[in-house]
Every structure is written in C-alpha cells, then in structure tokens.
Amino acid sequence: MGRAGTGTGGEAVAAVVAGPLLLLLLARPPPASAGYSGKSEVGLVSEHFSQAPQRLSFYSWYGSARLFRFRVPPDAVLLRWLLQVSRESGAACTDAEITVHFRSGAPPVINPLGTSFPDDTAVQPSFQVGVPLSTTPRSNASVNVSHPAPGDWFVAAHLPPSSQKIELKGLAPTCAYVFQPELLVTRVVEISIMEPDVPLPQTLLSHPSYLKVFVPDYTRELLLELRDCVSNGSLGCPVRLTVGPVTLPSNFQKVLTCTGAPWPCRLLLPSPPWDRWLQVTAESLVGPLGTVAFSAVAALTACRPRSVTIQPLLQSSQNQSFNASSGLLSPSPDHQDLGRSGRVDRSPFCLTNYPVTREDMDVVSVHFQPLDRVSVRVCSDTPSVMRLRLNTGMDSGGSLTISLRANKTEMRNETVVVACVNAASPFLGFNTSLNCTTAFFQGYPLSLSAWSRRANLIIPYPETDNWYLSLQLMCPENAEDCEQAVVHVETTLYLVPCLNDCGPYGQCLLLRRHSYLYASCSCKAGECQGPARPETLLLLASSAVLCLSPGGAPQGAGERPLQSNAGAKPPPHSPIPHQQSVCLAQAPGWRGWSCTDNSTAQTVAQQRAATLLLTLSNLMFLAPIAVSVRRFFLVEASVYAYTMFFSTFYHACDQPGEAVLCILSYDTLQYCDFLGSGAAIWVTILCMARLKTVLKYVLFLLGTLVIAMSLQLDRRGMWNMLGPCLFAFVIMASMWAYRCGHRRQCYPTSWQRWAFYLLPGVSMASVGIAIYTSMMTSDNYYYTHSIWHILLAGSAALLLPPPDQPAEPWACSQKFPCHYQICKNDREELYAVT
C-alpha cells in the first residue's frame, strides 16, 4: 500500500500524553508521501476527531473487537491516525500485540483465527497494523493515508486470540488493555472546479494544485487531459496526476506521470463513480524552484439508458397519482445532463435500466426486487443493470446476498450469462473484457450457463454506496441467432444481518457502536471467558429484536449477548428487561464467519455422548436426595432435587446441533441451574452446623434470597457462590468450636464420622473445586464438568450429618408421664423420648 504509512512510538513517546502528541502532530508538516512540502499549509485546514477509549478483549469472535467509526469530510487530502494503547501495571499484565484494522465504507472483515468463510463469499484481506506492548505500559503508533475517500472510516482493534482455558470471573488475575484512536484530518479549502470540456488553466509552483470534477449518473467514460504544457518556458509536461481516493484495504487510485512528448497527456477512466465529486491532484516534478503551466480538461461521455416498461404495474394500482400512459420510458433529460457541454453518446442504448424497489424489513435487513417482475430480461446487445441502494449509512453492518437462476429452457449450450457486482458505478464493458473492473473498483464476477444455471454471491459488510448488478448474454463467435436470444434470470437480492441466521451452531447478534448497528455470528464454541463487549445491544431471532442493553454502562463494563426466549416474543424493536444469560453451549468446534467451519467439529455421535455425560452425571444427586430423605432432611432433599432437575435440562439445552432439548428458555434454565447449585452448597454447610431448627430454616430462606439477588446482578461473578459459602462455613466452624469447648472434646466425637464421611467428603469437594476453577478448558469441558457434577453430589451425600440421636437422660419432669424423658440432642435442644 504505497499511499499509506505507519510508524510506532517507542519508550521516548510512551510518557507523552494525548494532548502534547496532538500538538506535535499539528506542528509537523505533512509527509512527503502526501505530495506536498511544509509550505503547503496555505489553503489547507486541520480538523481533529477523537473517541472515548475502550477496554480491549482477547479475540474469540467478531464481538471481541472494539469498533470505532469516524466521519471523514469531503476534500480531505490526508488522514493521520494516532493509535494510543496502554495497560495496567501488575504481574497479570504480559507482553501483547494489539492488532488494529482499517477500512473505508464498512467495518473491516477480519479473520484472526484463520477460519473458513461460507461458500461463494467474497472476502478482501483487511489492512492492519500491529501495536506492540512489551517493556512499557504505554505505546503509540501512527498511520497516514493520503487522498482518503470521504465518508465513514472504521477502525477495529483487538488482542490476540483468547486461550481455551475457562476461567472464573473474579478469580483469575486480569489486566486491562485500553485503546484509543484519534484522527487528524487535513482538508483543502482552495480547490478548482473543472467543468466538462472547458479548459482550466493551472500553474504549479512548489505546492500541488487541487481540482475536482463532478461525475453525474449514466457516465460511461471520463477523459482527463493536460494541454498546452509549459515547464520553465519550454515545452514539456513534468506533472504527476493523482486521481481518485484511497480506500482501504484495496486501493485503485490512478496515478499518471506526464514527462514530455507525446502530449497532450491523457487518462481515460471507464465507468467512473456516479453522482459524486472526483478529486484530482496535480503535482510538479521539476522541483521547488520550477514552474509548470498547463490547461486541464475533463471530458464526460454519457450513455443512453433504456428503461423497462412499467405501465402494467402502474395501471394495476388503484390510486394513481400521475399519468402512466406511456409504455416504454425513453431516456429523460436528467439522464443526459452532463454539464454545460458534456457529450452524449448517440449510439444505441448502452444499458437497460431495471427499476428496483427497496423494502426495509428490519434492522440491517433489506429486500431488493425488480419493480414490476421477478426475473430480469438479459440479452446480448446491452447490459441489464439493477441499482441496489445501500447508501443510507446503516446498511454496511450486514451481508449482501445475491442469488441468480437462469431459465432452463432458454439457456443454450453455447451461451453464457455473465454478471458483475460493483459499487459506485456498473460494469458496462462486457464486449471488451470480463474482469468486472471499473475505474476505482474491482467487481465480483458471476456466470450462468447450461451446465450451471445457479450462481450465488455473499458480500459481508458491503461498503456504503450504490451497488450495481450488471448482466449480459455472451455469445460465441460462430453462433447463429444468438444475438437475438433472450434469457430471463431470476434474482434474489437481500441484505441480511447474518447468513442463514448463523446456522444451527451459532446465533446472530446485533452489535452497537453509538448509533451504528452491525451484526455478527457468535458460534457456540466454548464457555464464556470474560465479559462480552459493551456494544452488545440486540439479539435477532427470526425478524424480532428481543433484547436491549441498558444505557449508561461504565466504560469497559461488558454486557453479554443475550439468548432468545423460546416463549412469547415482544414486538420488533421493543426493549425487554436486562437479563444475564451469558454463555453459549460447549459446541462441537464449529467456527468461522457464519459458524460453518467444521474443521474441529465433532460428529453427531460425539455430540450425543457429550450431552449424555453432562446430563446423566446429574443423576449422582440421587445419592444426597436418598440420604436426606432417610435422615428426615426434607428441605435439603427438595433443594437437591431442584438442582438435579434444572442442571440436567440446562445442559440438555446448552448443546448445539442435533443433541439439544430445551423445555424452557435458555436464560430461565441457566438461572435456575446457577441458583440450585448455590443453594445446594448453602444448605449442605448449614445442615452440617446442626443449628436449631427455626434458625436453620430462616438462614436457608435468607441465603437463597441473597444468592438469587446476586445472580441477577452478575451471574458469572465469583462471589455469588463464594460469599454465601464462606459465611455458612464461618457459622459451621463457630458452632463446631462452641461444641468442642462446651463438651471438652472434639466435635464430631466419632472417629468413624471423620474417617468415612467428613474427610472423604471434604476431599471430593476440594478436588471438585480445583477442577472447576483451574482445569476446565473448551476441549475437556464435557468430561471435567461431568466430574464436577459427580464430586459435588457425592460430597453432599457424605457431608450430611447423621440423624438426631437421643442422648443420655438429662432431667425428668413431672409435667410428662413416667414413660417420657427429657433429653438433649447434638443441637442442645430439649425433646421428650419414651
């Protein structure tokens, strides 16, 4: 990329804050690659744009990247990005390299994991730079882009791919990496307007000359010409012309160097971008002391569009507001108005224009179809062109899907229908080339034949612009009657948030950056490893928007993507209360842009085996249930039964693909599973404390309510279980210590109780906690989490205290008959026995 440059700041600039850095950037002259020297500040103004810093995440899916959108004004000649990265100081912070991606017109399409894209997907590698963080906690980098395209520019930043280890939130040490981009725009204010076929005299000194010409719709060619060149009083044309903008990642900017004879110097641009200003920069090649004089001329060649008949459609409307009596619409004067003296090609029509209706269906969801018919008539004399308006500024966050199907009876063995998909202007040169290349865009080719009557194209994150679908019938040289042949092609044109709703192994999430919305697939490929991005806003299910994150979240505080509700759905765009369902299923390794990469996928048999492991391992809770019932701990038995039920069906619903069963919504099952696990640990420890009955049940209820509240606040927080468990353990230890001191002996008093119940139970619980906190990964989750179920249930069965046994008679009371005795149990409670 010859027109973009990068630079990194080392330790010398690490301590410089943003304000002084920007002052230095403003004071520095533009680089030589931009085409002007320090004196070129005359006629140029600088504008500064900045956005709030964001905390970076390790990359696991597109939602892990932090997206920034900047608006570049027209007539900009230089973009200077300042990328600032900082991190916390501490042992948890390690060396890392932050990857920053740039793209004009749409969010960058990135693939840090190296996964595959769906078939028929057109992907361009993103332009990216790396910002290392090694010895210093702060680093800076700069990226320069000369002659940038106006409009939206997107910057995406992320940390390296995340590890497969599953870590508990709040337990593992974390390190905050913060990224902030700032943009300095140099814009020209002294610019000359070129009128068609009108020479514009120019004199070049030490600084370049900025020109621009407006290209209207239906322009076939643009010819730029330098005439009457004189350099230092002699004939010659040492001038370099730079035409068009730089668009990353691809760059089709045209550079023409004119040195001498033959002249005049010309640059021909076929199919220039329609309905916009085209910037032209002229630079002198004779040095700072020389002068070059010339006249610049822009010649526009228009084509004659032919529109299809729309009379049947207009006559079928019951409420007509205008006269539609004419059948074939001839080219209107607006189509031919190319300026005061633009040339109009009087040859036969150069294209057939098919009107297209745009139907907005939902957020980032649009349907395009011909105005009066489903199929498009394709012939060999002129291209058939359809315009897809994706220029609203909110259409670049989805995927443009194009599907073509030719009529079987009309396709001959020797004929081929060639199609091109281009942005800004259509491809019209089928008779000379089939590369689908226009002046500043490389199009996407498609073809239909008798052997292949279908063609598909998927463009993720299409640039904000008018897109054009051009089709033409190509005939072999010796084919008879082919020039009169006609083929009807059915078109299916959609802008969708996610392709096929991410399939059975993923979910389509709608993400937000301020007011900008874009969609991405979150594949079910592993346990949650950290907070999701703060931009997560909506979840698409069918065509309804289900969830809305609350505003005002602190910077860096992540809101996780939400699961869809299997029950009643609110109407589109209706917010629902914020929920905390976070984690996706432990999937069989499906990855990729649309969750179609099965390179690490498991078979259906392996999926079912994993589901059986996670669900049937909960049957181990039958052991503490049986022990509780036998010892008359009925409340504890109810809690264990609740935990077993919801843990079983939560893991049955937490699986993707074939082996999945959801009896309730995913969020409900997850909440009940987490609540049951915390309540089971809480009642087990309190039961071991042997409290008085009323006090024990009061603590049972209060602890469960506190656990329910904490789960609603932060479902993945470590203290949801650790806090109540520590409090219950303190109560149990205090009661045991009290009994030890009161009885002058160890409690429990039986060594069999210690050897066969307490020590094995504590050992199983310790091993389970160690596995749960430090050994789980995405690959071994099925086995380690099943072992966690078994160890948790087994330790509960062993740690439950024995039933109350009568102690030695303590006193007799005359209030009871002689066959009763008043005794003390282990809780120091008085009760009557026979």
Side-chain angles (χ1 to χ4, degrees):
M1 191 64 63
R3 308 296 293 180
T6 63
T8 58
E11 188 173 353
V13 298
V16 184
V17 295
L21 271 175
L22 288 174
L23 292 177
L24 290 175
L25 287 175
L26 287 168
R28 288 175 51 192
S33 60
Y36 39 79
S37 62
K39 298 181 180 180
S40 63
E41 296 297 331
V42 179
L44 301 178
V45 294
S46 296
E47 299 177 0
H48 173 234
F49 303 91
S50 179
Q51 294 191 16
Q54 292 195 62
R55 181 171 177 173
L56 299 179
S57 298
F58 290 94
Y59 189 88
S60 59
W61 65 296
Y62 198 91
S64 305
R66 299 296 182 257
L67 188 69
F68 301 84
R69 183 174 71 154
F70 291 88
R71 186 74 177 178
V72 176
D75 303 329
V77 294
L78 178 65
L79 298 185
R80 183 174 291 158
W81 304 90
L82 174 63
L83 312 177
Q84 303 179 67
V85 182
S86 61
R87 69 180 180 191
E88 296 177 345
S89 58
C93 296
T94 59
D95 297 344
E97 183 177 19
I98 288 82
T99 305
V100 185
H101 305 263
F102 298 85
R103 190 184 179 191
S104 170
V109 180
I110 61 178
N111 189 19
L113 301 179
T115 56
S116 64
F117 287 82
D119 296 337
D120 306 315
T121 302
V123 179
Q124 295 181 353
S126 64
F127 177 81
Q128 64 184 47
V129 296
V131 184
L133 273 177
S134 55
T135 58
T136 59
R138 184 185 298 270
S139 181
N140 299 282
S142 62
V143 177
N144 299 325
V145 180
S146 58
H147 307 288
D152 291 335
W153 279 73
F154 292 84
V155 179
H158 60 84
L159 290 169
S162 57
S163 63
Q164 297 297 317
K165 184 178 180 181
I166 300 174
E167 298 176 344
L168 288 180
K169 181 182 177 181
L171 184 61
T174 60
C175 179
Y177 297 86
V178 180
F179 174 78
Q180 182 181 19
E182 299 190 4
L183 175 62
L184 181 66
V185 179
T186 302
R187 184 167 58 90
V188 61
V189 292
E190 295 181 1
I191 190 166
S192 302
I193 305 299
M194 300 177 64
E195 297 186 16
D197 292 330
V198 178
L200 180 63
Q202 293 289 308
T203 300
L204 294 179
L205 300 175
S206 59
H207 56 83
S209 178
Y210 299 101
L211 319 171
K212 66 178 181 180
V213 57
F214 185 77
V215 181
D217 286 341
Y218 302 101
T219 300
R220 170 179 283 184
E221 293 177 346
L222 169 62
L223 177 63
L224 296 175
E225 183 177 354
L226 301 186
R227 302 176 181 173
D228 306 327
C229 290
V230 177
S231 175
N232 293 329
S234 60
L235 296 179
C237 201
V239 177
R240 179 170 60 228
L241 282 182
T242 303
V243 183
V246 170
T247 57
L248 299 179
S250 58
N251 179 24
F252 292 93
Q253 187 182 60
K254 300 297 187 294
V255 179
L256 176 65
T257 301
C258 304
T259 56
W263 55 277
C265 188
R266 295 187 178 94
L267 176 63
L268 181 63
L269 300 176
S271 297
W274 289 359
D275 192 27
R276 70 194 60 192
W277 291 95
L278 187 63
Q279 189 178 101
V280 180
T281 303
E283 303 172 72
S284 173
L285 300 178
V286 298
L289 301 180
T291 60
V292 179
F294 61 90
S295 295
V297 181
L300 301 173
T301 302
C303 68
R304 302 179 60 201
R306 176 175 54 194
S307 297
V308 299
T309 303
I310 62 174
Q311 180 182 7
L313 177 67
L314 299 178
Q315 290 180 348
S316 64
S317 176
Q318 296 180 359
N319 299 321
Q320 295 187 13
S321 59
F322 56 94
N323 184 11
S325 59
S326 59
L328 186 65
L329 300 183
S330 60
S332 63
D334 293 340
H335 294 167
Q336 303 176 5
D337 185 10
L338 298 180
R340 187 173 67 183
S341 57
R343 296 195 303 267
V344 177
D345 191 352
R346 296 301 178 182
S347 60
F349 300 108
C350 68
L351 63 88
T352 301
N353 181 38
Y354 278 82
V356 176
T357 177
R358 172 190 166 116
E359 179 184 2
D360 291 280
M361 305 174 63
D362 209 325
V363 181
V364 200
S365 182
V366 182
H367 179 209
F368 298 97
Q369 59 181 350
L371 191 61
D372 61 340
R373 62 188 70 187
V374 177
S375 61
V376 176
R377 185 176 181 269
V378 182
C379 53
S380 60
D381 55 348
T382 58
S384 300
V385 178
M386 302 174 64
R387 178 185 298 194
L388 312 179
R389 298 186 180 273
L390 295 175
N391 56 354
T392 64
M394 300 299 293
D395 301 325
S396 58
S399 295
L400 178 61
T401 63
I402 298 176
S403 179
L404 306 178
R405 186 169 69 91
N407 193 318
K408 181 178 181 180
T409 59
E410 297 175 344
M411 291 296 297
R412 302 180 182 180
N413 294 335
E414 67 275 6
T415 59
V416 176
V417 175
V418 181
C420 290
V421 181
N422 295 74
S425 60
F427 179 74
L428 304 176
F430 289 99
N431 296 328
T432 58
S433 175
L434 300 178
N435 57 6
C436 296
T437 302
T438 57
F440 301 103
F441 191 84
Q442 174 58 56
Y444 305 101
L446 296 170
S447 63
L448 303 172
S449 63
W451 299 275
S452 178
R453 296 185 300 108
R454 292 179 179 269
N456 300 303
L457 177 64
I458 304 168
I459 304 176
Y461 295 160
E463 292 92 335
T464 298
D465 212 326
N466 288 325
W467 286 73
Y468 297 87
L469 172 63
S470 307
L471 305 98
Q472 187 167 343
L473 181 65
M474 307 303 296
C475 301
E477 296 181 357
N478 299 326
E480 298 180 359
D481 300 332
C482 181
E483 296 182 357
Q484 304 299 325
V486 175
V487 176
H488 289 83
V489 177
E490 296 182 4
T491 61
T492 304
L493 311 171
Y494 280 95
L495 176 70
V496 295
C498 303
L499 182 65
N500 297 328
D501 290 332
C502 303
Y505 302 106
Q507 64 174 357
C508 184
L509 296 179
L510 197 61
L511 309 175
R512 174 180 63 88
R513 175 58 181 167
H514 298 316
S515 61
Y516 179 76
L517 302 177
Y518 58 105
S520 177
C521 286
S522 177
C523 302
K524 303 175 182 178
E527 190 76 15
C528 298
Q529 303 178 15
R533 54 176 313 143
E535 294 85 351
T536 301
L537 173 71
L538 304 170
L539 167 66
L540 292 182
S542 301
S543 62
V545 181
L546 297 185
C547 305
L548 180 65
S549 293
Q555 194 66 32
E559 301 296 337
R560 298 178 183 270
L562 309 180
Q563 295 284 348
S564 61
N565 195 328
K569 299 176 182 179
H573 309 286
S574 63
I576 68 173
H578 177 56
Q579 304 177 44
Q580 288 284 338
S581 74
V582 232
C583 228
L584 298 174
Q586 297 305 311
W590 290 83
R591 309 182 303 167
W593 187 263
S594 298
C595 303
T596 56
D597 187 346
N598 61 351
S599 58
T600 59
Q602 293 179 346
T603 63
V604 176
Q606 291 173 326
Q607 297 178 44
R608 293 175 179 173
T611 304
L612 291 176
L613 277 175
L614 290 170
T615 55
L616 297 182
S617 60
N618 288 284
L619 296 179
M620 188 65 183
F621 278 96
L622 292 174
I625 293 174
V627 172
S628 301
V629 172
R630 182 177 179 84
R631 298 177 182 178
F632 299 100
F633 299 141
L634 300 183
V635 175
E636 290 84 343
S638 301
V639 174
Y640 297 143
Y642 176 93
T643 303
M644 180 184 68
F645 178 84
F646 281 104
S647 180
T648 299
F649 285 99
Y650 165 66
H651 286 291
C653 183
D654 196 33
Q655 305 305 314
E658 303 291 337
V660 58
L661 173 65
C662 295
I663 62 173
L664 296 173
S665 68
Y666 181 90
D667 182 74
T668 302
L669 291 173
Q670 185 187 67
Y671 183 85
C672 294
D673 173 57
F674 288 9
L675 177 61
S677 300
I681 299 175
W682 171 256
V683 300
T684 301
I685 300 177
L686 287 181
C687 187
M688 294 172 62
R690 307 299 292 257
L691 301 171
K692 292 184 178 182
T693 304
V694 176
L695 179 59
K696 182 182 73 169
Y697 292 141
V698 169
L699 290 178
F700 278 4
L701 180 60
L702 290 178
T704 304
L705 293 177
V706 171
I707 294 174
M709 178 195 66
S710 63
L711 289 176
Q712 182 65 23
L713 293 176
D714 186 3
R715 193 169 296 180
R716 286 286 169 178
M718 177 187 66
W719 290 99
N720 294 338
M721 290 187 181
L722 185 58
C725 291
L726 289 179
F727 184 71
F729 182 79
V730 170
I731 296 176
M732 183 195 72
S734 301
M735 294 303 300
W736 283 18
Y738 169 76
R739 293 190 179 98
C740 288
H742 183 72
R743 299 183 179 184
R744 305 289 183 178
Q745 59 180 343
C746 184
Y747 182 85
T749 58
S750 173
W751 67 269
Q752 292 93 342
R753 177 72 183 161
W754 284 95
F756 299 111
Y757 295 95
L758 293 180
L759 292 180
V762 172
S763 300
M764 294 179 65
S766 301
V767 174
I769 293 175
I771 292 176
Y772 187 80
T773 57
S774 60
M775 296 179 61
M776 283 190 187
T777 64
S778 299
D779 295 331
N780 65 12
Y781 174 81
Y782 306 106
Y783 315 106
T784 55
H785 200 77
S786 300
I787 295 175
W788 156 254
H789 289 163
I790 296 173
L791 294 177
L792 178 65
S795 63
L798 293 174
L799 293 176
L800 284 173
D804 294 330
Q805 296 294 334
E808 296 181 358
W810 175 69
C812 293
S813 173
Q814 295 181 356
K815 296 181 180 180
F816 294 92
C818 60
H819 58 276
Y820 280 95
Q821 293 180 349
I822 302 300
C823 302
K824 272 189 176 181
N825 59 12
D826 289 343
R827 302 189 188 122
E828 305 294 333
E829 294 177 330
L830 302 181
Y831 63 96
V833 296
T834 56

